[in-house]
């Protein structure tokens, strides 16, 4: 199983342009779901964080399943999930996260 850790913030990234591109990519992938998919609440390109909720699903349960079934770690803040992106995250990892969410929420 693949391991994707989206709990570490970009911090003082040496590659802010990459972090911004990763943030835009994940935001676009999550919005690609359309109705019934995740709702993006915020996408902070400087911090490298995408905050989303999952209408009709309990966030904690979705995050537990993401970790247990897919090896994807993300944080929870209130009723929202926070995906933190560092320069070491690969674009392919974000596509993998999208696929996992598609399977879990579908």
């Amino acid at each position: 199983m693949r391991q994707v850790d989206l709990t570490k913030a970009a911090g003082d990234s040496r590659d802010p342009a990459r972090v911004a591109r990763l943030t835009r990519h994940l935001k676009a992938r999550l919005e690609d779901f359309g109705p019934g998919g995740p709702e993006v609440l915020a996408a902070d390109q400087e911090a490298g964080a995408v905050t989303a909720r999952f209408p009709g699903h309990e966030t904690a349960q979705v995050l537990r399943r993401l970790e247990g079934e897919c090896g994807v770690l993300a944080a929870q803040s209130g009723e929202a999930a926070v995906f933190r992106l560092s320069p070491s995250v690969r674009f392919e990892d974000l596509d993998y996260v999208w696929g996992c969410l598609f399977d879990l929420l579908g």
Side-chain angles (χ1 to χ4, degrees):
M1 172 175 19
R2 181 185 266 186
Q3 296 291 314
V4 180
D5 187 350
L6 301 179
T7 62
K8 294 179 176 69
D12 293 332
S13 170
R14 293 185 182 170
D15 196 350
R18 179 175 172 76
V19 170
R21 285 192 310 274
L22 288 164
T23 303
R24 289 191 304 270
H25 183 75
L26 181 58
K27 177 182 183 282
R29 294 298 276 161
L30 294 179
E31 291 175 340
D32 189 39
F33 272 85
E39 176 186 347
V40 175
L41 304 174
D44 185 335
Q45 294 182 43
E46 284 185 33
V50 176
T51 305
R53 65 184 200 91
F54 310 103
H57 302 274
E58 183 183 325
T59 299
Q61 181 181 6
V62 172
L63 293 179
R64 275 192 304 274
R65 289 186 66 199
L66 263 179
E67 182 177 0
E69 297 175 28
C70 299
V72 175
L73 298 171
Q76 183 170 352
S77 177
E79 293 300 313
V82 181
F83 301 94
R84 295 186 175 104
L85 306 165
S86 68
S88 63
V89 172
R90 300 175 314 155
F91 286 93
E92 294 83 5
D93 291 336
L94 301 181
D95 294 339
Y96 173 74
V97 171
W98 179 87
C100 291
L101 284 170
F102 189 82
D103 289 343
L104 294 176
L105 300 175

